[in-house]
Amino acid sequence: MAQQISRNVLTIIGTGGMAMAIARRLGSGRRLLLADYSEANLNAALAILKGEGYAAEGMEVDVLNAESVNKLAAFAASTGRIDAIVHTAGVSPVTSTAKQVFEIELLRTAHVIDAFYPHVSSGTSLVCISSMAGHMDMGRISPGLERHLALSSTEQLLQHEEIKMDAKVDPGMIYVTAKRGNHVRVQAAAHQWGGKGARINTVSPGVISTPMGAAELKGDSGSAMMGMIGLSGARRIGTPDEISSVVAFLVGMDSSFITGNDILLDGGTVSAWKWNTPPRQK
């Protein structure tokens, strides 16, 4: 009887374009656990990856439900040593309400950090996919709100006077606040994770060629997004493979001194937006 080979576990939350690129880049030689809210999307992704030879399995997860994420983390740990967790699940600000953006973009990251922490060990790396939007707050996020986003309990995370979920709030600023929340939440968690020899970082993509990115380009914000692409130093859209390359770096030992940080992968959009356009009013 063939001996079962023990493999380190790579958990990827989400099944979109970035998630699949990351799975292909990092999945070889690892036990690949893919998680998603949609059973149909999960099964389709697993069929592709298994057909390409990856040792992949799946689990449905609701990132808004802490217990659901806890079950995912416990299952991942039961199958082997957790080598890496990559959290890609998110929503588009173009097609989502303020409530959905705040809940999914803020709570999802907090739930993943909380759920996986008990199961990580020396060398484990968590990478949360955020957005360049988290760098575009123009000073409109108060120090008090930023501290709340970083340090409040998960149960209290959405309870702050500056977090408003009504339709009158600027949807762009809602997304900026949520993504900045991702950054500072990860920064604040790095100290605790370091006590176990584990690391935690974010990656902030710009406009990337994924189905979600394509939908945003076709939507009401499409012209503004094309303007940002034209303004950027790279003057093009990024690719999922470019995201997976940075994630691979953060998961590997070449980045062992990097934790509690964000890597901005936007083709120079934020720097051009900050320094090569007229000053903005706060």
Side-chain angles (χ1 to χ4, degrees):
M1 187 166 119
Q3 184 177 1
Q4 180 90 16
I5 298 175
S6 177
R7 300 184 181 184
N8 288 341
V9 180
L10 165 64
T11 302
I12 299 176
I13 303 171
T15 56
M18 292 187 201
M20 293 297 283
I22 292 165
R24 290 184 171 106
R25 180 66 182 261
L26 297 175
S28 296
R30 290 185 170 101
R31 189 182 185 104
L32 176 57
L33 174 59
L34 206 61
D36 198 89
Y37 179 78
S38 166
E39 180 182 9
N41 290 347
L42 182 60
N43 289 338
L46 286 172
I48 293 170
L49 292 170
K50 288 179 179 179
E52 294 174 356
Y54 294 95
E57 58 188 313
M59 183 173 179
E60 289 181 57
V61 65
D62 178 3
V63 289
L64 289 183
N65 184 304
E67 185 56 33
S68 179
V69 187
N70 287 338
K71 288 179 180 178
L72 171 67
F75 177 73
S78 73
T79 63
R81 192 192 80 84
I82 298 178
D83 191 27
I85 312 110
V86 186
H87 185 29
T88 73
V91 294
S92 167
V94 176
T95 59
S96 305
T97 65
K99 188 173 186 291
Q100 287 173 326
V101 170
F102 273 132
E103 287 184 342
I104 295 174
E105 297 297 344
L106 284 176
L107 285 181
R108 68 178 184 120
T109 299
H111 286 160
V112 170
I113 293 171
D114 293 348
F116 277 90
Y117 173 72
H119 305 287
V120 301
S121 58
S122 181
T124 301
S125 176
L126 167 60
V127 180
C128 297
I129 303 299
S130 184
S131 168
M132 68 177 178
H135 293 270
M136 304 175 85
D137 67 278
M138 298 185 297
R140 291 184 291 177
I141 298 176
S142 72
L145 175 56
E146 189 170 72
R147 185 172 182 82
H148 175 84
L149 294 172
L151 299 174
S152 70
S153 68
T154 299
E155 293 74 20
Q156 299 291 320
L157 185 54
L158 298 182
Q159 298 178 27
H160 190 278
E161 61 183 6
E162 295 179 51
I163 295 179
K164 303 182 188 301
M165 300 192 191
D166 57 72
K168 297 178 182 179
V169 181
D170 175 11
M173 193 59 205
I174 291 169
Y175 194 68
V176 166
T177 302
K179 290 304 186 178
R180 182 61 184 159
N182 292 166
H183 294 171
V184 298
R185 196 82 182 176
V186 164
Q187 289 173 14
H191 176 77
Q192 183 185 43
W193 280 57
K196 287 190 168 186
R199 296 182 297 113
I200 177 170
N201 293 286
T202 53
V203 173
S204 289
V207 183
I208 305 298
S209 181
T210 62
M212 182 183 290
E216 291 176 347
L217 285 170
K218 292 177 181 177
D220 294 340
S221 63
S223 59
M225 292 175 68
M226 289 304 298
M228 287 194 293
I229 294 167
L231 179 67
S232 71
R235 291 173 174 79
R236 65 173 176 84
I237 296 174
T239 67
D241 283 347
E242 288 172 313
I243 304 299
S244 69
S245 294
V246 173
V247 172
F249 168 68
L250 288 174
V251 165
M253 289 307 297
D254 285 346
S255 64
S256 62
F257 201 51
I258 300 177
T259 190
N261 280 286
D262 177 71
I263 294 184
L264 178 60
L265 189 62
D266 68 337
T269 300
V270 170
S271 59
W273 175 85
K274 183 175 181 179
W275 298 111
N276 302 111
T277 57
R280 295 168 182 79
Q281 297 296 321
K282 292 183 181 181

